[in-house]
Amino acid sequence: LFTWSVVILNCWLAVKLMLIYYSWEKYYMDYYGLDDYSWEATIYVTLPGVLYSIIVAIYSNFYRQLAQKLTKFENQETDENYENQIIMKYCIFEFINNFIALFYIAFVYRDFTMLRLSVRNFFIINMVISQIMESVVPFVLAKKKKKANNRCG
Protein backbone atom coordinates (compact mmCIF):
# COMPACT_ATOMS: atom_id res chain seq x y z
CA LEU A 1 0.00 0.00 0.00
CA PHE A 2 2.82 2.40 0.89
CA THR A 3 4.70 1.84 -2.37
CA TRP A 4 1.60 2.39 -4.52
CA SER A 5 0.87 5.57 -2.56
CA VAL A 6 4.32 6.80 -3.56
CA VAL A 7 3.65 5.83 -7.19
CA ILE A 8 0.34 7.72 -7.17
CA LEU A 9 2.00 10.74 -5.55
CA ASN A 10 4.67 10.78 -8.28
CA CYS A 11 2.01 10.50 -10.98
CA TRP A 12 0.14 13.41 -9.40
CA LEU A 13 3.37 15.46 -9.30
CA ALA A 14 3.99 14.68 -12.98
CA VAL A 15 0.48 15.90 -13.86
CA LYS A 16 0.94 19.03 -11.72
CA LEU A 17 4.25 19.83 -13.47
CA MET A 18 2.58 19.35 -16.84
CA LEU A 19 -0.25 21.70 -15.90
CA ILE A 20 2.18 24.39 -14.76
CA TYR A 21 4.39 24.25 -17.85
CA TYR A 22 1.61 24.04 -20.40
CA SER A 23 -0.43 26.80 -18.79
CA TRP A 24 2.74 28.90 -19.08
CA GLU A 25 3.14 27.91 -22.74
CA LYS A 26 -0.56 28.49 -23.51
CA TYR A 27 -0.37 31.95 -21.92
CA TYR A 28 2.55 32.95 -24.14
CA MET A 29 0.96 31.45 -27.25
CA ASP A 30 -2.20 33.47 -26.61
CA TYR A 31 -0.17 36.58 -25.73
CA TYR A 32 2.02 36.56 -28.85
CA GLY A 33 -0.45 34.95 -31.26
CA LEU A 34 0.29 32.56 -34.09
CA ASP A 35 1.47 35.24 -36.51
CA ASP A 36 4.31 36.64 -34.37
CA TYR A 37 7.61 35.17 -35.59
CA SER A 38 9.91 37.45 -33.61
CA TRP A 39 12.80 35.96 -31.64
CA GLU A 40 11.20 37.01 -28.39
CA ALA A 41 7.92 35.29 -29.20
CA THR A 42 9.70 32.15 -30.42
CA ILE A 43 11.75 31.90 -27.24
CA TYR A 44 8.85 32.56 -24.86
CA VAL A 45 6.52 30.17 -26.67
CA THR A 46 9.10 27.39 -27.05
CA LEU A 47 10.91 27.64 -23.70
CA PRO A 48 8.20 26.08 -21.46
CA GLY A 49 7.88 23.02 -23.71
CA VAL A 50 11.64 22.55 -23.95
CA LEU A 51 12.07 22.88 -20.18
CA TYR A 52 9.18 20.50 -19.60
CA SER A 53 10.73 17.94 -21.98
CA ILE A 54 14.03 18.11 -20.09
CA ILE A 55 12.26 17.78 -16.74
CA VAL A 56 10.29 14.76 -18.04
CA ALA A 57 13.55 13.03 -19.00
CA ILE A 58 15.16 13.80 -15.63
CA TYR A 59 12.05 12.81 -13.69
CA SER A 60 11.83 9.52 -15.61
CA ASN A 61 15.39 8.62 -14.62
CA PHE A 62 14.74 9.59 -11.00
CA TYR A 63 11.52 7.60 -10.92
CA ARG A 64 13.14 4.46 -12.37
CA GLN A 65 15.56 4.40 -9.44
CA LEU A 66 12.73 5.10 -7.00
CA ALA A 67 10.54 2.34 -8.49
CA GLN A 68 13.37 -0.17 -8.12
CA LYS A 69 13.85 0.77 -4.46
CA LEU A 70 10.10 0.64 -3.80
CA THR A 71 9.78 -2.77 -5.42
CA LYS A 72 12.75 -4.12 -3.45
CA PHE A 73 11.11 -2.71 -0.31
CA GLU A 74 8.00 -4.78 -1.09
CA ASN A 75 10.19 -7.90 -0.86
CA GLN A 76 8.46 -9.92 -3.58
CA GLU A 77 8.46 -13.69 -3.15
CA THR A 78 9.55 -14.51 -6.71
CA ASP A 79 11.52 -12.83 -9.44
CA GLU A 80 8.44 -12.95 -11.64
CA ASN A 81 6.39 -11.00 -9.08
CA TYR A 82 9.23 -8.50 -8.72
CA GLU A 83 9.42 -7.98 -12.48
CA ASN A 84 5.64 -7.67 -12.83
CA GLN A 85 5.46 -5.08 -10.06
CA ILE A 86 8.31 -2.99 -11.41
CA ILE A 87 6.91 -3.14 -14.96
CA MET A 88 3.52 -1.93 -13.71
CA LYS A 89 5.16 0.92 -11.80
CA TYR A 90 7.25 1.90 -14.84
CA CYS A 91 4.39 1.72 -17.34
CA ILE A 92 1.87 3.67 -15.30
CA PHE A 93 4.30 6.46 -14.46
CA GLU A 94 5.97 6.63 -17.88
CA PHE A 95 2.60 6.85 -19.62
CA ILE A 96 1.47 9.70 -17.38
CA ASN A 97 4.83 11.46 -17.37
CA ASN A 98 5.38 11.25 -21.14
CA PHE A 99 1.95 11.26 -22.75
CA ILE A 100 -0.60 12.97 -20.50
CA ALA A 101 0.56 16.36 -21.76
CA LEU A 102 -0.26 15.41 -25.34
CA PHE A 103 -3.74 14.20 -24.37
CA TYR A 104 -4.27 17.36 -22.32
CA ILE A 105 -3.29 19.63 -25.19
CA ALA A 106 -5.33 17.67 -27.74
CA PHE A 107 -8.53 17.21 -25.74
CA VAL A 108 -8.62 20.10 -23.23
CA TYR A 109 -6.89 22.96 -25.05
CA ARG A 110 -7.81 21.59 -28.51
CA ASP A 111 -4.82 23.51 -29.83
CA PHE A 112 -3.18 21.54 -32.61
CA THR A 113 -0.42 24.10 -33.16
CA MET A 114 0.57 23.69 -29.52
CA LEU A 115 0.30 19.92 -29.90
CA ARG A 116 2.58 19.98 -32.93
CA LEU A 117 5.14 22.11 -31.06
CA SER A 118 5.00 19.80 -28.04
CA VAL A 119 5.56 16.66 -30.09
CA ARG A 120 8.45 18.40 -31.85
CA ASN A 121 9.99 19.47 -28.53
CA PHE A 122 9.62 16.00 -27.00
CA PHE A 123 11.19 14.38 -30.04
CA ILE A 124 14.13 16.78 -30.36
CA ILE A 125 14.93 16.90 -26.63
CA ASN A 126 14.74 13.11 -26.27
CA MET A 127 16.95 12.70 -29.34
CA VAL A 128 19.55 15.15 -27.98
CA ILE A 129 19.54 13.53 -24.52
CA SER A 130 19.91 10.07 -26.10
CA GLN A 131 22.82 11.21 -28.25
CA ILE A 132 24.55 12.79 -25.26
CA MET A 133 24.08 9.67 -23.13
CA GLU A 134 25.19 7.31 -25.91
CA SER A 135 28.15 9.21 -27.32
CA VAL A 136 29.32 12.17 -25.25
CA VAL A 137 29.17 10.55 -21.79
CA PRO A 138 31.14 7.41 -22.81
CA PHE A 139 33.68 9.59 -24.63
CA VAL A 140 34.21 11.79 -21.55
CA LEU A 141 34.43 8.75 -19.26
CA ALA A 142 36.99 7.10 -21.57
CA LYS A 143 39.06 10.30 -21.60
CA LYS A 144 38.96 10.45 -17.79
CA LYS A 145 39.97 6.80 -17.51
CA LYS A 146 42.84 7.29 -19.97
CA LYS A 147 44.03 10.36 -18.07
CA ALA A 148 43.87 8.47 -14.76
CA ASN A 149 45.81 5.53 -16.27
CA ASN A 150 48.49 7.91 -17.58
CA ARG A 151 48.97 9.37 -14.11
CA CYS A 152 49.29 5.95 -12.48
CA GLY A 153 51.50 4.38 -15.10
Side-chain angles (χ1 to χ4, degrees), residues 39-103:
W39 282 102
E40 180 184 13
T42 303
I43 289 170
Y44 279 113
V45 168
T46 306
L47 188 62
V50 170
L51 290 176
Y52 178 71
S53 298
I54 292 168
I55 287 173
V56 163
I58 292 169
Y59 199 16
S60 288
N61 286 333
F62 163 76
Y63 181 79
R64 283 186 175 268
Q65 295 170 2
L66 178 64
Q68 288 174 352
K69 289 177 185 176
L70 289 172
T71 308
K72 285 179 185 174
F73 176 75
E74 290 174 346
N75 198 20
Q76 300 293 328
E77 292 181 13
T78 64
D79 287 341
E80 184 179 352
N81 287 347
Y82 174 84
E83 289 173 7
N84 288 338
Q85 287 296 311
I86 204 159
I87 288 169
M88 282 195 326
K89 288 177 178 74
Y90 283 166
C91 289
I92 291 168
F93 178 78
E94 290 296 330
F95 176 79
I96 290 173
N97 196 36
N98 289 303
F99 299 114
I100 200 74
L102 302 177
F103 284 98

Side-chain angles (χ1 to χ4, degrees), residues 19 26 28 30-31 55 73 75 80 86 95 98 107 112 123 129 135:
L19 291 172
K26 182 70 172 162
Y28 283 117
D30 291 342
Y31 180 79
I55 287 173
F73 176 75
N75 198 20
E80 184 179 352
I86 204 159
F95 176 79
N98 289 303
F107 297 113
F112 293 103
F123 177 74
I129 289 171
S135 57

